[in-house]
């Protein structure tokens, strides 16, 4: 089984971003990461994004709010950030606390700054196949991982386990744009293992540690794991039991070291795109 690592794909995207930054008239694109509270996974992602974007020659501002901030204050502060001309792009770490109206944030974020595709405008563009809309970074990273490794999507049977708006649904649209035949599985899917085995490309986005093992994988399938979990031993793991796939899958991504590295690279590319678009530096 071939291990598909994200580092090489990230490096290719970095080259693309470098070329894009030449059009920014010497100015540095700035990302604002909006975080409420101190959740370990949010802090981990924030640290990784800051490090990655700095290596790409970009600036990141962490905009952190206390866990108990009231909704009205948060919306006011977010609106100020949304309109800040110094901020090129915004990434909201979700889910937000239950008392914060997340739908309101999705509706007021400037689509031109919405780098992770949460605005209804960007979602509609992704579902319409309009490349001017920002897709969620993780969904786009899966397609980048497949494309960069020369894995054909056109005409292939792709099975996605998970139907969230963060990965599953937008990824289905992106894969169909590549002419894949897509099945989206969920909690009501009958014979989930059997359905998954029918996929030549299997994407796990279920949010359960190592749920997908070799019984879910057809012979020679390509397995893409987008899960980020912590197991009972406190170890980072994905949604796929990677070790169990040996001798069954042809290729698979590891966790860590797989799709996650590509996701932050896609975020950087989105920031460069925002800088070059209307409202950016162009």
């Amino acid at each position: 089984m071939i291990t598909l690592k994200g580092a090489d794909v990230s490096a290719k995207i970095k080259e693309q971003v470098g070329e894009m930054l030449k059009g920014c008239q010497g100015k540095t694109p700035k990302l604002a990461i909006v975080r409420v509270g101190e959740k370990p996974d949010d802090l981990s992602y924030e640290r990784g994004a800051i490090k990655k974007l700095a290596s790409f020659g970009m600036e990141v501002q962490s905009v952190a709010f206390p866990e108990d901030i009231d909704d009205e204050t948060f919306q006011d502060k977010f609106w100020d950030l949304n309109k800040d001309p110094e901020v090129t792009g915004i990434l909201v770490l979700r889910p937000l606390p239950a008392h914060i109206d997340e739908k309101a944030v999705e509706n007021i974020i400037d689509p031109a700054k919405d780098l992770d595709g949460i605005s209804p405008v960007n979602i509609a563009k992704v579902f319409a196949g309009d490349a001017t809309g920002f897709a969620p970074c993780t969904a786009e990273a899966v397609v980048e991982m497949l494309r960069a490794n020369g894995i054909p999507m056109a005409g292939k049977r792709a099975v996605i386990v998970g139907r969230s708006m963060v990965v599953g649904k937008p990824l289905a649209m992106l894969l169909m744009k590549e002419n894949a035949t897509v099945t989206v599985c969920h909690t009501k899917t009958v014979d989930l293992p059997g359905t998954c085995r029918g996929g030549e490309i299997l994407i796990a986005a279920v949010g359960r540690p190592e749920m997908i093992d070799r019984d879910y994988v057809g012979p020679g399938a390509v397995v893409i794991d987008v899960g980020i979990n912590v197991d009972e031993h406190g170890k980072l793991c994905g949604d796929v039991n990677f070790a169990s796939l040996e001798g069954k899958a042809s290729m698979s991504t590891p966790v860590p070291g797989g799709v996650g590295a590509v996701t932050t690279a896609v975020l950087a590319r989105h920031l460069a795109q925002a800088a070059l678009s209307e409202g950016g530096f162009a």
Side-chain angles (χ1 to χ4, degrees):
M1 181 178 70
I2 298 172
T3 299
L4 302 175
K5 295 186 177 180
D8 290 342
V9 183
S10 177
K12 291 179 182 178
I13 296 175
K14 185 176 183 178
E15 292 178 4
Q16 296 173 5
V17 172
E19 290 299 313
M20 295 169 73
L21 291 179
K22 292 178 182 178
C24 289
Q25 304 170 21
K27 298 181 181 179
T28 303
K30 182 178 180 180
L31 170 68
I33 298 180
V34 177
R35 170 171 50 82
V36 179
E38 305 284 330
K39 289 186 292 187
D41 51 345
D42 283 353
L43 292 169
S44 176
Y45 185 88
E46 183 180 290
R47 286 192 296 269
I50 290 172
K51 183 178 180 180
K52 176 63 70 71
L53 267 68
S55 74
F56 277 43
M58 297 163 140
E59 184 180 349
V60 181
Q61 173 188 359
S62 176
V63 184
F65 299 101
E67 178 80 23
D68 60 355
I69 188 173
D70 64 87
D71 184 57
E72 182 178 358
T73 303
F74 177 80
Q75 301 295 343
D76 287 344
K77 296 289 187 182
F78 187 84
W79 186 257
D80 290 342
L81 180 68
N82 198 37
K83 295 298 182 181
D84 186 344
E86 297 299 315
V87 173
T88 314
I90 299 172
L91 174 68
V92 182
L93 297 183
R94 300 181 297 161
L96 294 169
H99 67 279
I100 300 294
D101 187 349
E102 195 166 304
K103 283 294 180 185
V105 175
E106 295 170 1
N107 285 320
I108 66 175
I109 190 171
D110 182 350
K113 294 184 177 184
D114 168 32
L115 304 189
D116 203 27
I118 67 173
S119 162
V121 172
N122 283 323
I123 292 170
K125 286 184 175 183
V126 171
F127 275 68
D130 184 343
T132 65
F134 290 120
C137 295
T138 301
E140 189 171 323
V142 172
V143 175
E144 286 291 336
M145 179 70 80
L146 294 168
R147 184 184 290 121
N149 285 284
I151 300 166
M153 291 169 270
K156 299 298 181 179
R157 299 186 305 276
V159 176
I160 304 169
V161 187
R163 55 178 170 178
S164 75
M165 285 301 298
V166 178
V167 181
K169 290 178 181 177
L171 177 55
M173 297 301 107
L174 295 178
L175 287 171
M176 282 193 284
K177 190 176 180 181
E178 298 292 331
N179 296 311
T181 299
V182 182
T183 300
V184 179
C185 299
H186 45 78
T187 54
K188 302 299 182 183
T189 298
V190 176
D191 186 18
L192 179 59
T195 303
C196 291
R197 286 194 296 271
E200 295 165 283
I201 300 171
L202 176 63
I203 300 104
V206 68
R208 296 184 184 178
E210 300 187 338
M211 171 184 161
I212 306 298
D213 60 19
R214 64 186 292 111
D215 290 338
Y216 290 75
V217 178
V222 175
V223 181
I224 307 294
D225 187 356
V226 304
I228 297 291
N229 309 289
V230 177
D231 64 18
E232 64 272 18
H233 305 296
K235 183 180 178 182
L236 192 67
C237 67
D239 291 347
V240 175
N241 185 327
F242 183 83
S244 76
L245 304 188
E246 190 63 50
K248 192 73 176 289
S250 61
M251 306 178 187
S252 185
T253 60
V255 176
V259 175
V262 184
T263 298
T264 49
V266 168
L267 174 65
R269 186 169 64 192
H270 284 183
L271 183 61
Q273 289 171 337
L276 294 172
S277 68
E278 293 181 4
F281 298 141

